Amino acid sequence: MEKPVPSSPSADPSLVFVVKEHMFDKVVTPSDVGKLNRLVIPKQYAEKYFPLDPESDQGGAASSPETKKLGLLLSFEDRGGKPWRFRYSYWNSSQSYVITKGWSRFVKEKGLGAGDTVSFSRGSGNPAARRRLFIDWKRRQPQPPRHHPRGFANSFPLPRGPLTSPFTSIMACGHHWCARSALYNVNWLPPAAAAPPKLEVHPGAPGVTMSPTVTLGSRSKRLRLFGVNLDFSEPLPE
Amino acid sequence: MEKPVPSSPSADPSLVFVVKEHMFDKVVTPSDVGKLNRLVIPKQYAEKYFPLDPESDQGGAASSPETKKLGLLLSFEDRGGKPWRFRYSYWNSSQSYVITKGWSRFVKEKGLGAGDTVSFSRGSGNPAARRRLFIDWKRRQPQPPRHHPRGFANSFPLPRGPLTSPFTSIMACGHHWCARSALYNVNWLPPAAAAPPKLEVHPGAPGVTMSPTVTLGSRSKRLRLFGVNLDFSEPLPE
DNA sequence: CATTTCACCTGACTC
DNA sequence: TGAGTCAGGTGAAAT
């Protein structure tokens, strides 16, 4: 990745390469990227790299008698150099180390999903360099579509960007319409109670395809598509 | 309501009428009467009637330099003259004013539910009278069922207690089932992918009725009913 | 023990 | 749009 070129404080920052030392990866769970707004740091890595005990300060982060109670503010840089500040602390109730405040923003910006990997590194070299922390992430391998999931989540953060999902069934009863694909279930009502929905769909037997491409805003879990309100619910893993 | 009869400190308290001045009402949310054990006071009323700033002491409550940090102890009387003492403070993180300690006892004794109204008044007249605070409440009006709502909420807190809703339509496509009533839309999958759902429903034309009575736990938005996972979405007002 | 209280946090929504 | 409000949450501490 980055070449080990020595840097001086006066060098052009855009030309400074940073030598990194990999600390650990975590394959994030649904909870890590869900509404709990926290990332559990596996205890072995937490105690090695982000110690909260005053005794065992071995360079990963500052620590003091109070940090065991209050946690730390950890500052990371992502691959673009953007700073990310997270609160990092220990939850006695679950006896686990967690990143809380700031984490949900990272999940949202990167579009992290369950099964993706986050990667933690630090600068290599002298103690000052080793206090510089880096965070990166990679998408999980594409999964084969799951059929017949056995449950739904009531709501979930939709990924940013284009969302394309071929729907495999569509139903209507009165003014209430439902469609489902391998990834989403959608409910909607037509814009006028007496009018048919204006979605470009082909209702009928299972197997029909409906592929609207929707660009989501940053906040809404509800879409307005062709004048129709849509609500999404996500199948859960088996 | 109460007649403006002058009172003296020596009069029989049961014969003293109090002239009240209405301050504000709040229609309580599910959270206000739930396990959070707090009542959010809308900021406009909080700052007008229960100021915590030393500068703006205009009679609603005492204030001092420390009260902004520690909050106040507010003493109210209910319609029966019973005293209620609440801790009132400001939460920096959510920038909101809240009544905390003592509130859950009031909710419990009065049987307050979401949608009910709490009403805050104070004595009318001289500054001493205006420092007397009163709290009252009223039950919400029973709600008429809404037909053909135009949108859905992705999730919502289900009411506590028995939930009976006659369903007016039911749909199935593959293993995905939907039903709707005037109040709820429900999605579910059968317990086994190959088996039909075991709900006591009569699928077919609109107009059929399905009336399971479900007693909800205090937290879950998901139900397991007859071995079937159900997810609810609530129609929104027009 | 469970329940209540407390000081935070976040997202949905409004303007 | 960005800032403010607040409903609905959290873990931890107090009771």
Side-chain angles (χ1 to χ4, degrees):
Chain A
M1 308 239 187
E2 288 82 2
K3 292 178 185 173
V5 172
S7 66
S8 74
S10 60
D12 178 350
S14 66
L15 296 178
V16 173
F17 290 88
V18 176
V19 185
K20 292 181 193 170
E21 171 190 328
H22 181 257
M23 295 191 290
F24 63 95
D25 288 345
K26 181 178 183 185
V27 177
V28 296
T29 67
S31 289
D32 288 333
V33 295
K35 315 201 229 200
L36 299 182
N37 299 315
R38 59 99 179 107
L39 172 71
V40 172
I41 305 294
K43 184 169 283 194
Q44 56 183 124
Y45 302 124
E47 295 181 340
K48 180 168 183 184
Y49 296 111
F50 308 133
L52 290 173
D53 290 341
E55 304 82 37
S56 62
D57 191 352
Q58 39 213 8
S63 64
S64 76
E66 308 88 65
T67 57
K68 184 73 187 190
K69 277 179 70 79
L70 302 174
L72 291 173
L73 192 65
L74 294 182
S75 294
F76 296 85
E77 297 165 52
D78 68 16
R79 71 179 77 155
K82 174 169 177 170
W84 292 93
R85 312 184 85 205
F86 302 126
R87 170 178 284 184
Y88 165 72
S89 60
Y90 183 69
W91 282 354
N92 291 298
S93 51
S94 53
Q95 299 188 29
S96 53
Y97 295 87
V98 287
I99 278 172
T100 54
K101 187 179 178 183
W103 176 246
S104 64
R105 281 181 281 270
F106 186 84
V107 170
K108 206 174 295 175
E109 174 170 315
K110 308 305 185 189
L112 280 191
D116 294 346
T117 297
V118 285
S119 178
F120 293 91
S121 310
R122 62 184 173 192
S124 181
N126 60 36
R130 287 155 61 99
R131 273 192 284 277
R132 234 176 121 183
L133 300 174
F134 300 91
I135 185 169
D136 203 353
W137 65 278
K138 52 178 175 288
R139 191 72 67 205
R140 70 157 181 268
Q141 297 300 108
Q143 301 295 305
R146 291 183 301 249
H147 298 291
H148 308 312
R150 303 297 305 281
F152 301 92
N154 248 335
S155 69
F156 67 104
L158 288 168
R160 282 180 184 229
L163 164 69
T164 304
S165 195
F167 285 83
T168 54
S169 66
I170 184 166
M171 297 157 277
C173 191
H175 305 299
H176 178 210
W177 290 74
C178 293
R180 75 182 305 269
S181 72
L183 282 175
Y184 301 109
N185 288 283
V186 190
N187 303 287
W188 73 92
L189 290 168
K198 288 176 183 159
L199 286 175
E200 290 292 325
V201 294
H202 307 280
V208 298
T209 298
M210 168 177 93
S211 298
T213 297
V214 182
T215 299
L216 300 175
S218 58
R219 295 190 164 196
S220 62
K221 289 167 186 159
R222 164 151 341 139
L223 292 184
R224 197 163 171 83
L225 177 63
F226 307 134
V228 177
N229 285 323
L230 301 180
D231 283 306
F232 286 75
S233 58
E234 183 189 41
L236 295 174
E238 290 274 347
Chain B
M1 308 244 187
E2 289 82 1
K3 293 177 185 173
V5 171
S7 67
S8 77
S10 60
D12 177 350
S14 66
L15 296 178
V16 174
F17 289 88
V18 177
V19 185
K20 292 179 193 168
E21 172 189 328
H22 180 258
M23 295 191 290
F24 64 94
D25 289 345
K26 182 178 182 185
V27 178
V28 296
T29 67
S31 289
D32 288 332
V33 296
K35 306 205 225 206
L36 300 183
N37 299 316
R38 59 98 179 107
L39 173 71
V40 172
I41 306 294
K43 182 168 282 194
Q44 57 182 129
Y45 302 124
E47 296 184 338
K48 180 168 183 186
Y49 296 111
F50 308 135
L52 290 174
D53 289 342
E55 303 83 35
S56 61
D57 190 349
Q58 39 214 11
S63 64
S64 77
E66 308 89 63
T67 56
K68 185 74 189 189
K69 275 179 71 77
L70 302 172
L72 290 173
L73 192 64
L74 295 182
S75 294
F76 295 86
E77 298 165 51
D78 69 14
R79 72 179 77 152
K82 176 169 176 170
W84 291 92
R85 313 184 83 205
F86 302 127
R87 179 171 194 259
Y88 165 74
S89 61
Y90 183 68
W91 282 352
N92 290 299
S93 51
S94 53
Q95 302 182 47
S96 51
Y97 294 89
V98 287
I99 279 172
T100 54
K101 188 176 177 188
W103 176 246
S104 63
R105 279 181 284 272
F106 187 83
V107 170
K108 207 173 293 175
E109 175 172 313
K110 308 305 186 189
L112 280 191
D116 295 344
T117 297
V118 286
S119 178
F120 293 90
S121 309
R122 63 182 172 194
S124 179
N126 61 39
R130 287 152 64 97
R131 272 192 284 276
R132 235 177 120 182
L133 300 173
F134 301 91
I135 185 169
D136 203 353
W137 64 280
K138 53 178 176 285
R139 190 72 66 205
R140 72 156 178 270
Q141 298 299 106
Q143 301 296 308
R146 291 184 297 250
H147 298 290
H148 302 313
R150 303 298 307 280
F152 301 92
N154 248 337
S155 70
F156 68 105
L158 287 168
R160 285 182 180 223
L163 165 69
T164 305
S165 195
F167 284 85
T168 54
S169 66
I170 184 166
M171 296 158 278
C173 189
H175 304 297
H176 178 211
W177 289 73
C178 292
R180 75 184 307 265
S181 71
L183 282 174
Y184 302 107
N185 287 282
V186 189
N187 302 286
W188 72 92
L189 291 166
K198 287 176 185 161
L199 288 175
E200 290 293 323
V201 293
H202 307 278
V208 298
T209 297
M210 169 178 91
S211 298
T213 296
V214 182
T215 299
L216 301 173
S218 56
R219 287 199 169 194
S220 62
K221 290 168 189 162
R222 167 160 330 147
L223 292 184
R224 199 165 170 80
L225 177 64
F226 308 135
V228 176
N229 285 324
L230 301 180
D231 283 306
F232 286 75
S233 58
E234 183 188 40
L236 295 175
E238 290 274 348

